[in-house]
């Protein structure tokens, strides 16, 4: 399983990293709503390799048979490798090339709350919460945790679906009971 997991995990990791890099180039032009849709679309596209990884492992290593548990284990390992590549790419980009990217994101969130027409106390509480998150995000460990959690649900869902679709039990053993012949 190790070779399959590493191969498909790294391919998906490179794919998600390249797609993230390219999506950041257009993020400001398309707006935060469309940018989020684009981001999750690229995650789904990259995580589709989970299906192909599990299928490859089943067909090439297990003679076409795999349990749900083993398929899930293979898929979640591919997911984790992909996410590690995603996190590593984001950390390099964020701290070295686009350190103010999230500042504009948080500012847009604050502006959205302030213009929503909520009562002043609720607005102040929500703005304070966003500002606290913004401060936390500057800590690399918190940044890593937030970034890791972002694609995890997508990978988990695709892993569960792929494991369910691809599971195959061994064919039933032929019956040893004598056949009854009627005339």
């Amino acid at each position: 399983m190790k070779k399959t997991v590493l191969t498909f995990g790294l391919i998906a990791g490179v794919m998600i990293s390249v797609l993230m890099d390219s999506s950041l180039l257009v993020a400001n032009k398309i707006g935060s709503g469309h940018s989020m849709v684009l981001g999750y679309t690229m995650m789904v596209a990259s995580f589709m390799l989970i299906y192909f990884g599990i299928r490859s492992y089943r067909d090439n290593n297990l003679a076409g048979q795999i349990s749900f548990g083993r398929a899930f284990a293979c898929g979640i390992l591919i997911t984790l490798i992909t996410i590690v590549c995603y996190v590593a790419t984001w950390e390099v980009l964020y701290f070295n090339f686009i350190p103010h990217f999230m500042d504009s994101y948080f500012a847009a969130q604050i502006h959205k709350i302030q213009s929503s027409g909520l009562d002043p106390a609720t607005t102040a509480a929500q703005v304070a919460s966003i500002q606290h998150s913004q401060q936390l995000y500057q800590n690399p460990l918190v940044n890593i945790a937030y970034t890791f959690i972002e694609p995890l649900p997508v990978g988990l869902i695709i892993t569960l679906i792929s494991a369910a679709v691809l599971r195959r039990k061994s064919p039933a053993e032929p019956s040893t009971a004598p056949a009854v012949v009627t005339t």
Side-chain angles (χ1 to χ4, degrees):
M1 181 179 340
K2 183 192 269 186
K3 182 180 177 186
T4 302
V5 164
L6 283 173
T7 300
F8 284 89
L10 290 174
I11 292 170
V14 168
M15 187 174 167
I16 201 168
S17 296
V18 168
L19 289 171
M20 179 184 13
D21 292 346
S22 58
S23 73
L24 288 173
L25 295 174
V26 298
N28 290 335
K29 295 175 185 160
I30 63 175
S32 63
H34 291 95
S35 182
M36 189 175 290
V37 170
L38 177 63
Y40 280 102
T41 302
M42 67 161 200
M43 285 180 201
V44 170
S46 300
F47 284 132
M48 290 309 293
L49 285 169
I50 294 167
Y51 173 86
F52 295 109
I54 295 170
R55 189 178 76 180
S56 174
Y57 179 60
R58 179 195 71 189
D59 294 346
N60 297 327
N61 298 85
L62 301 175
Q65 302 166 14
I66 193 167
S67 67
F68 177 84
R70 185 168 276 201
F72 180 82
C74 181
I76 204 69
L77 290 171
I78 293 169
T79 298
L80 293 175
I81 291 170
T82 304
I83 292 173
V84 167
C85 293
Y86 178 82
V87 169
T89 301
W90 175 251
E91 295 303 307
V92 168
L93 287 173
Y94 181 71
F95 286 108
N96 295 306
F97 300 104
I98 53 172
H100 301 293
F101 181 82
M102 291 305 290
D103 292 339
S104 61
Y105 171 78
F106 287 120
Q109 293 301 313
I110 290 171
H111 176 69
K112 183 178 175 182
I113 289 171
Q114 289 173 335
S115 63
S116 67
L118 295 172
D119 64 271
T122 304
T123 300
Q126 289 184 0
V127 166
S129 175
I130 291 171
Q131 288 171 337
H132 179 68
S133 293
Q134 187 175 11
Q135 289 172 343
L136 287 174
Y137 202 78
Q138 295 306 312
N139 178 338
L141 294 176
V142 173
N143 190 311
I144 288 169
Y146 281 177
T147 307
F148 189 88
I149 290 171
E150 184 181 351
L152 184 61
V154 178
L156 183 60
I157 290 168
I158 292 176
T159 296
L160 287 168
I161 292 169
S162 298
V165 168
L166 292 169
R167 75 175 186 269
R168 277 196 205 153
K169 295 182 180 181
S170 59
E173 295 293 322
S175 174
T176 56
V180 178
V181 180
T182 58
T183 53

